Amino acid sequence: MSEVNCLYCGKKIAEDLAECPHCGGVSHYQKRGYRAGARARFVLFFIAVTVFCLFFIFWLPR
Ligand SMILES: [Zn+2]
């Protein structure tokens, strides 16, 4: 486990912490968490938009 400097207070914190234990600031170094969930939601949103477009291409009267 490596350590990084907190962006807000400058103290050393563990790289995988979501928040700085010294000042409570959000860590920008975390590798997991909201980013993975946001990516999955984006893929689902993209698929939904694609299906929506296909519906209008094939099922609407021309
Ligand atoms: Zn801090």
Side-chain angles (χ1 to χ4, degrees):
M1 180 188 295
S2 59
E3 290 189 322
V4 294
N5 291 318
C6 173
L7 290 176
Y8 303 99
C9 65
K11 291 177 181 171
K12 291 274 187 182
I13 60 172
E15 193 178 36
D16 60 347
L17 287 178
E19 292 180 354
C20 172
H22 305 289
C23 68
V26 176
S27 171
H28 293 261
Y29 300 99
Q30 57 182 323
K31 294 187 176 77
R32 58 174 184 264
Y34 74 94
R35 285 182 190 141
R39 186 186 178 97
R41 278 195 297 276
F42 175 78
V43 171
L44 283 174
F45 175 76
F46 186 79
I47 291 171
V49 170
T50 302
V51 171
F52 186 74
C53 291
L54 286 174
F55 173 79
F56 276 99
I57 289 169
F58 290 109
W59 281 279
L60 281 187
R62 271 170 272 196

